[in-house]
Amino acid sequence: MKPGPRSRPAEPGICVSGSSGAGSAFPAFLPSGAGVEPGSRPGTVAAVLPAGGCGERMGVRTPKQFCRVLERPLISYTLQALERVCWIKDIVVAVTAENMEAMRSIIQRYRHKRISLAEAGATRHRSIFNGLKALAEDQPDVVIIHDAVRPFVEEDILLRVVTAAKEHGAAGAIRPLVSTVISPSADGCLEHSLDRAKHRASEMPQAFLFDVIYKAYQQCSDYDFEFGTECLQLALKYSHTKAKLVEGPPDLWKVTYKRDLLAARSVIKEKISQEICVVMNTKDEESAGHLLKEVLKKELNCVNVTSTVLDHTGGNVQKFPTDQCYSFICVNVVSSEFQETQKFLSTLEESGLPLLYPVVVVLVHCCDLTLAPLASKMESLMWIRSLAEDMKKRNVLLSGLLLNYSKDEQKLQESFQQGASIIAALVKERSSALAGQLLLA
């Protein structure tokens, strides 16, 4: 069966390793003992994501791959994980006809690249087969099959299964069994149990030489298509290819139930809270910004705290971090700096960071509260609330912090430590309910 025409991706996504390019092949930094001869050209790699499920086990009307985590569809996180690997040249998503337009909107909104769409079938295996048929005309050497609802896949495990597939024809990630597998009898009693130490759980990603898996699917029976779930078994049954099993990391779990959405949310929030950038208006190492940075480093010793300086001439920041940082602490913000703050927020928005994750911005104003009434100081920062409402629509969670810059050394230290605790909570929780709040330390 000859596949129909499909649109080709115009450009690659963000690249983690090596240089990018729509025709990028396998990475040059293969690990020793990976099964690829030095100087060989393992060829091109593509991926197929079956995304036609209806979320029956989750018990929600929205298919789980389209459920939102931190206001972003789950499948977008999985696509991002694959796009960041520049040697994956093409990603085919098999999606149902009724969700085709929604998938196109996700690709456009979140600026995904190298994505092609194929129509999903009635079952998982039929969806995978349709994805493979979409690649058949310009077939890759190796194809990765991965679940749309496994968003935490890293380049290392992708590289290992692809390398093993190149040598053995097929490979898949496995994990130790958490629970013992038992077989019940017809009357509901225990018949026998498996020795957990001798068995493993089959996970994703899996990888195959394209000819191996395509040949297997071409020979599948209707029973395989309707009731089968294991691609490695099809390669063994129809292509006589024994898959190499690769020990995978613990974060290959699949979002299946509602509680898994909460777990995914927690993992993502933890991941994007590991970097904090302190933005200040001076390089003076005795400034409040530098002092706050040092306190944050001590209070949050597991978080990387960096700093940058606001350029008032252009309203931008020097060396604006655009890759991993989603938390910004802007120090010494006063009402006279409203325009500079807006320019900073515009630069932040233009970077594209808020498209992918909610970005926390804390505007910190330091002043000695013994020299001026607290009420007047808080009043001068009320503009933050209205600005926060507007920024929330852009996925930027903005809040204000008034920090008591006392001349008393002990009180100053206590104020900075309390401020660091407040900042840590805002960064970790990323709660839209806290956006627009004016807090006091």
Side-chain angles (χ1 to χ4, degrees):
M1 183 184 300
K2 190 177 178 78
R6 66 191 179 102
S7 58
R8 299 291 297 170
E11 56 183 301
I14 300 170
C15 186
V16 169
S17 57
S19 59
S20 63
S24 295
F26 207 71
F29 51 88
L30 290 173
S32 59
V36 178
E37 293 298 325
S40 65
R41 292 179 56 82
T44 54
V45 181
V48 171
L49 268 68
C54 62
E56 182 179 349
R57 283 179 290 181
M58 187 169 284
V60 295
R61 297 183 64 180
T62 303
K64 57 189 174 185
Q65 60 271 24
F66 297 115
C67 287
R68 303 184 83 79
V69 178
L70 294 177
E71 301 305 316
R72 181 176 158 204
L74 182 64
I75 192 172
S76 176
Y77 292 98
T78 309
L79 291 178
Q80 182 190 15
L82 295 177
E83 281 179 313
R84 286 174 60 84
V85 182
C86 62
W87 44 265
I88 299 177
K89 68 177 287 264
D90 200 357
I91 303 165
V92 178
V93 181
V95 64
T96 59
E98 58 266 33
N99 289 319
M100 194 72 72
E101 195 54 44
M103 191 67 234
R104 289 194 183 99
S105 297
I106 290 170
I107 292 170
Q108 181 178 6
R109 173 172 175 76
Y110 298 102
R111 303 176 186 177
H112 292 299
K113 306 297 181 184
R114 291 178 288 160
I115 311 297
S116 303
L117 300 182
E119 188 168 336
T123 64
R124 172 182 169 80
H125 275 325
R126 293 189 190 278
S127 294
I128 293 172
F129 191 25
N130 287 351
L132 293 172
K133 285 189 278 189
L135 291 168
E137 186 174 349
D138 183 22
Q139 60 181 257
D141 291 271
V142 179
V143 61
I144 297 167
I145 297 176
H146 189 63
D147 289 323
V149 289
R150 293 182 191 258
F152 304 119
V153 62
E154 297 289 346
E155 182 176 12
D156 175 66
I157 186 62
L158 290 166
L159 175 60
R160 287 193 284 137
V161 295
V162 167
T163 303
K166 184 63 182 178
E167 180 179 4
H168 298 274
I174 58 169
R175 289 288 301 158
L177 287 173
V178 175
S179 302
T180 300
V181 178
I182 63 172
S183 178
S185 62
D187 60 357
C189 296
L190 175 66
E191 193 165 86
H192 67 272
S193 63
L194 299 180
D195 183 349
R196 190 171 62 184
K198 294 181 179 180
H199 296 81
R200 294 292 183 270
S202 177
E203 307 285 355
M204 290 287 170
Q206 295 176 355
F208 306 84
L209 291 178
F210 185 83
D211 289 341
V212 167
I213 194 63
Y214 194 46
K215 174 186 173 183
Y217 271 97
Q218 286 175 315
Q219 298 178 77
C220 275
S221 67
D222 287 338
Y223 185 88
D224 292 321
F225 277 125
E226 292 300 320
F227 303 106
T229 57
E230 182 53 75
C231 303
L232 300 179
Q233 180 62 32
L234 295 183
L236 178 62
K237 181 178 180 180
Y238 293 111
S239 295
H240 311 293
T241 301
K242 294 180 68 174
K244 178 67 174 177
L245 304 180
V246 179
E247 191 75 27
D251 54 1
L252 291 179
W253 53 276
K254 181 179 179 182
V255 174
T256 305
Y257 302 103
K258 283 184 179 179
R259 64 176 179 269
D260 296 328
L261 287 174
L262 297 176
R265 178 187 175 92
S266 178
V267 170
I268 293 168
K269 284 169 64 174
E270 178 71 19
K271 181 179 179 181
I272 62 177
S273 298
Q274 296 307 304
E275 299 275 342
I276 294 178
C277 180
V278 179
V279 182
M280 55 193 82
N281 55 10
T282 177
K283 295 181 180 180
D284 182 6
E285 295 190 359
E286 298 299 319
S287 68
H290 280 283
L291 293 175
L292 181 58
K293 175 186 173 183
E294 294 307 311
V295 174
L296 283 169
K297 280 184 174 182
K298 291 178 182 178
E299 294 291 312
L300 309 173
N301 55 13
C302 61
V303 176
N304 184 32
V305 182
T306 60
S307 63
T308 191
V309 179
L310 190 69
D311 175 11
H312 288 283
T313 60
N316 297 324
V317 292
Q318 299 171 2
K319 297 180 181 179
F320 190 83
T322 58
D323 187 22
Q324 295 181 327
C325 189
Y326 295 91
S327 307
F328 297 90
I329 315 303
C330 302
V331 182
N332 272 342
V333 176
V334 294
S335 54
S336 62
E337 294 176 336
F338 176 72
Q339 289 185 336
E340 284 75 10
T341 301
Q342 281 192 314
K343 288 178 182 178
F344 167 75
L345 293 173
S346 295
T347 302
L348 179 62
E349 189 175 0
E350 289 166 6
S351 74
L353 289 175
L355 265 180
L356 300 178
Y357 303 102
V359 176
V360 169
V361 177
V362 183
L363 306 181
V364 181
H365 176 46
C366 302
C367 67
D368 188 346
L369 295 179
T370 62
L371 303 179
L374 174 61
S376 64
K377 290 295 182 182
M378 295 295 283
E379 184 68 26
S380 69
L381 297 174
M382 290 300 291
W383 55 271
I384 293 176
R385 289 189 172 181
S386 57
L387 182 58
E389 282 299 312
D390 183 53
M391 294 309 300
K392 192 190 299 187
K393 300 172 187 175
R394 294 166 169 79
N395 212 24
V396 175
L397 306 178
L398 181 69
S399 55
L401 174 63
L402 184 59
L403 207 155
N404 184 17
Y405 202 68
S406 174
K407 293 180 180 179
D408 184 297
E409 188 65 30
Q410 183 177 349
K411 289 183 178 179
L412 179 64
Q413 189 65 24
E414 291 174 354
S415 181
F416 270 72
Q417 288 177 342
Q418 186 178 356
S421 298
I422 292 172
I423 289 169
L426 291 171
V427 168
K428 183 178 179 180
E429 293 302 320
R430 294 184 186 271
S431 171
S432 59
L434 295 176
Q437 295 295 313
L438 298 180
L439 305 166
L440 176 65

